[in-house]
Amino acid sequence: MLKQLHIFGAEENICFSNRSFQQNQTNPRARHSNPSIIPMAQSASSPLPPLKSEAKPPNPVFDPHGLDSNLLKKIAYDALVWSSLRGLLVGDRASQESGTVPGVGLVHAPISLLPMPFQESHYKQACEVAPIFNELVDRVSLDSNFLQESLARTKKVDAFTSRLLDIHAKMLDMNKKEDIRLGLHRSDYMVDEHTNLLLQIELNTISSSFAGLSCLVSDLHRSLLHQFKQHLALDPERIPENASANQFAEALQKAWSEYNNPRAVVMIVVQPEERNMYDQHWLFTLLMEKYPLLATFSNFDMYNFDDIVDRSFVHLLSLYFLGVLIFLNLNAHIKDGEVVAVSYFRAGYAPTDYPSESEWSARLLIEQSCAIKCPSIAYHLAGTKKIQQELAKPNQLERFLDNKDDIAKVRKCFAGLWNLEDSSIVKDAIERPGLYVMKPQREGGGNNIYGDDVRVALQEMQKKGTEEDAAYILMQRIFPATSPAILMREGISHKEQVLSELGVYGTYLRNKEKVIMNNHSGYLMRTKVSSSNEGGVAAGFAVLDSIYLV
């Protein structure tokens, strides 16, 4: 059961490819000279022609593995001091209370010691397309038929998606309108080594975490490059400014303002025993420091789903004609309650967040209210893998976007995406599983299927002859270049060959026809050892990083 509400980001679903081909493993490159160019099946579901290569810049000359050992120790020591003083922290797994009691069992967040070289053109491309993706999510969310029809087959075999669709259907039956719509998104990308194309991994519309800590990593790296400029010969100004936490806080404040009740609260729904609580507390701190009116007349409450049911369900029913979501202090009268202006979800994206009907009741309760949801159920569904795959089909973007240049920019980011009804793609994936990734309709790490497991899963589905395939999509596997890096975990530095994934945050706020905010809002760089498929930071696979523009 969800017991406490502390920062809990969705385990970042980094779809890293396994590039540890130096080991004795089956190498898909040995079977296919162009592993990033998957021959598209001759069917309407093929979203792209073969990908074309783009020119690559020269490789940067800096190699962190070549640092003098004494200098490395000094940089690592200063990085740990900086992290401790500035709040670049997570809970320590070794402490049982680290996820429930702030200030207990602290350890520095897993980080890369120095920033990762990244092409400036790709960074600018990802920032430029972020507002377009924001608008795309909003327009998709308003097309209820598209959401319900696209996920209809998935609903039959995926109980979690089915429950989300049921809530969405209930809102349609109520004719429930979300006039004020808030999105805190993150679009994740990798650069394919063969084609040098920036390709989208996924678009997160719920629990886009690490906005609070990612900007601190950029500040840390900039500080280290200043301090050790004589030894590293790297320009600190090549690390882009990263205002992700400020931008998220501003979006929450503006949404609260649009609700137009100065005594209402911003509620954050979180998972229990969340070791990543400080990421979220940074947003709270910025809200209180930057927006005195909100801090004076409102407050920032963190609840789990059990709290929401226990403290508000009866009272919502009694006030149902108003649609106001009110939380009460236990044993208090309604007049002493707190009206919720904004409900910001950092939980609710995984089946494990709903261990009983109480949690589903709480999710429905929030959705029925007039509180601003981040995300609403429609925004949540718009971020599913199946919708990502549907949008990659020919002529689908034209259904939601009007500007041809915007459509071209979005489509350029799409990797190959297919449903499992495409028999020619399934056949190819069975023959060459190393070129594909199987993805279920899930957020968070550890859900995807790679390598030979793709073949096994597809063959088992074919034997069963059921509609289980509707729960998955196939995605082209992206092969990013490996780079040398020094990763820091629990005070220890490790020299590794790594892969990186760029996430660009987007903030979007709309009140009816008026777009109040639509920005790219900072970035998250995650880096992981190249030999691992999975990449969640909190799960122990990846570390937080920043980018050095080249």
Side-chain angles (χ1 to χ4, degrees), residues 28 75 85-86 119 148 169 178 269 288 336 459 473 475 535:
I75 297 174
L85 294 177
R86 306 297 179 89
Q119 292 179 47
Q148 288 283 338
E178 298 295 333
V269 185
M288 290 186 289
D336 298 320
Q459 289 176 332
I473 66 166
M475 182 176 177

Side-chain angles (χ1 to χ4, degrees), residues 399-412:
R399 179 172 178 172
F400 301 103
L401 299 175
D402 304 318
N403 187 289
K404 291 183 178 180
D405 289 339
D406 288 348
I407 292 170
K409 290 173 184 176
V410 168
R411 187 163 282 138
K412 184 178 180 180

Side-chain angles (χ1 to χ4, degrees), residues 148-436:
Q148 288 283 338
E149 291 170 4
S150 297
L151 291 162
R153 285 192 72 241
T154 304
K155 181 177 182 178
K156 297 178 182 179
V157 294
D158 186 327
F160 178 66
T161 302
S162 177
R163 294 301 297 262
L164 296 176
L165 284 167
D166 286 344
I167 293 175
H168 183 249
K170 285 182 172 69
M171 298 306 101
L172 297 178
D173 291 341
M174 289 175 56
N175 197 28
K176 181 74 169 61
K177 304 294 184 183
E178 298 295 333
D179 290 334
I180 305 175
R181 303 189 291 277
L182 172 64
L184 300 180
H185 304 146
R186 195 190 67 241
S187 185
D188 295 333
Y189 304 92
M190 284 175 151
V191 177
D192 181 72
E193 181 180 23
H194 178 82
T195 61
N196 195 38
L197 290 173
L198 182 80
L199 299 178
Q200 187 184 58
I201 302 298
E202 64 179 353
L203 178 60
N204 301 277
T205 61
I206 183 170
S207 189
S208 301
S209 61
F210 287 116
L213 297 188
S214 62
C215 52
L216 292 177
V217 182
S218 299
D219 291 344
L220 165 64
H221 286 164
R222 199 176 293 109
S223 175
L224 292 175
L225 296 198
H226 272 295
Q227 184 176 348
F228 297 97
K229 190 171 185 178
Q230 182 178 355
H231 302 281
L232 300 176
L234 296 173
D235 181 5
E237 301 306 314
R238 299 303 294 171
I239 299 176
E241 292 294 328
N242 190 357
S244 53
N246 281 312
Q247 289 275 303
F248 269 34
E250 181 182 358
L252 289 166
Q253 184 275 332
K254 286 187 174 182
W256 173 84
S257 181
E258 289 297 314
Y259 189 83
N260 199 27
N261 182 342
R263 296 189 179 277
V265 302
V266 175
M267 176 184 72
I268 302 186
V269 185
V270 300
Q271 292 171 329
E273 301 178 2
E274 177 51 60
R275 293 174 52 252
N276 193 28
M277 68 172 73
Y278 306 102
D279 178 52
Q280 194 160 20
H281 280 298
W282 268 112
L283 300 185
F284 271 2
T285 299
L286 289 169
L287 278 168
M288 290 186 289
E289 290 179 349
K290 295 188 66 176
Y291 305 105
L293 181 65
L294 185 134
T296 300
F297 292 104
S298 182
N299 55 28
F300 318 101
D301 285 345
M302 301 174 116
Y303 293 105
N304 60 65
F305 282 130
D306 286 345
D307 289 331
I308 294 167
V309 172
D310 293 342
R311 296 181 62 186
S312 65
F313 186 66
V314 173
H315 310 292
L316 180 80
L317 292 180
S318 65
L319 294 169
Y320 188 74
F321 66 98
L322 296 176
V324 177
L325 182 60
I326 293 182
F327 281 168
L328 303 182
N329 295 321
L330 294 179
N331 302 317
H333 298 292
I334 289 179
K335 65 180 181 180
D336 298 320
E338 299 167 335
V339 175
V340 177
V342 180
S343 178
Y344 172 38
F345 286 93
R346 293 291 292 263
Y349 56 84
T352 51
D353 288 334
Y354 304 86
S356 73
E357 286 300 312
S358 295
E359 288 76 21
W360 285 112
S361 296
R363 182 65 185 271
L364 177 61
L365 175 75
I366 295 172
E367 206 65 35
Q368 289 174 324
S369 77
C370 62
I372 300 166
K373 276 73 71 174
C374 184
S376 67
I377 191 67
Y379 267 41
H380 187 167
L381 292 171
T384 58
K385 307 299 184 294
K386 179 60 180 176
I387 296 301
Q388 181 186 11
Q389 179 256 311
E390 288 293 318
L391 290 173
K393 288 183 177 181
N395 303 316
Q396 285 287 38
L397 287 178
E398 286 80 358
R399 179 172 178 172
F400 301 103
L401 299 175
D402 304 318
N403 187 289
K404 291 183 178 180
D405 289 339
D406 288 348
I407 292 170
K409 290 173 184 176
V410 168
R411 187 163 282 138
K412 184 178 180 180
C413 298
F414 284 162
L417 292 158
W418 305 272
N419 62 50
L420 272 65
E421 294 177 272
D422 189 330
S423 59
S424 58
I425 287 294
V426 171
K427 180 176 181 294
D428 192 59
I430 290 174
E431 293 174 354
R432 300 182 297 176
L435 302 183
Y436 296 85

